[in-house]
Amino acid sequence: ATDADGDDADHAPLRKAILELLGYSPVDTDELIRQTKAPAATVITALLELELGGRVQRHAGNKVSLA
């Protein structure tokens, strides 16, 4: 499903949960997958959406943080 802004509405709650779990210190992507209890592919897709939106920054070692 896509909302009026073209965002994937199905990932909206997961994106919100990821943003609440993240801080400015890099966190391992696998840890986010464990904490959200969502499928890995779904978490990775949500992270990509957040990265493209300028909300998340990728780091070496498969880590991410708030941008």
Side-chain angles (χ1 to χ4, degrees):
T2 303
D3 66 16
D5 295 327
D7 288 339
D8 186 344
D10 296 336
H11 291 164
L14 180 57
R15 287 194 305 263
K16 183 175 188 234
I18 289 170
L19 289 172
E20 289 173 358
L21 289 169
L22 285 177
Y24 292 100
S25 296
V27 175
D28 193 282
T29 303
D30 291 337
E31 182 60 29
L32 279 178
I33 293 166
R34 278 192 288 279
Q35 289 182 8
T36 61
K37 297 181 172 76
T42 307
V43 173
I44 290 166
T45 299
L47 282 169
L48 178 60
E49 292 167 353
L50 289 166
E51 184 180 14
L52 291 172
R55 307 287 307 275
V56 168
Q57 181 176 341
R58 292 201 184 263
H59 301 274
N62 202 30
K63 295 186 178 196
V64 293
S65 69
L66 293 176

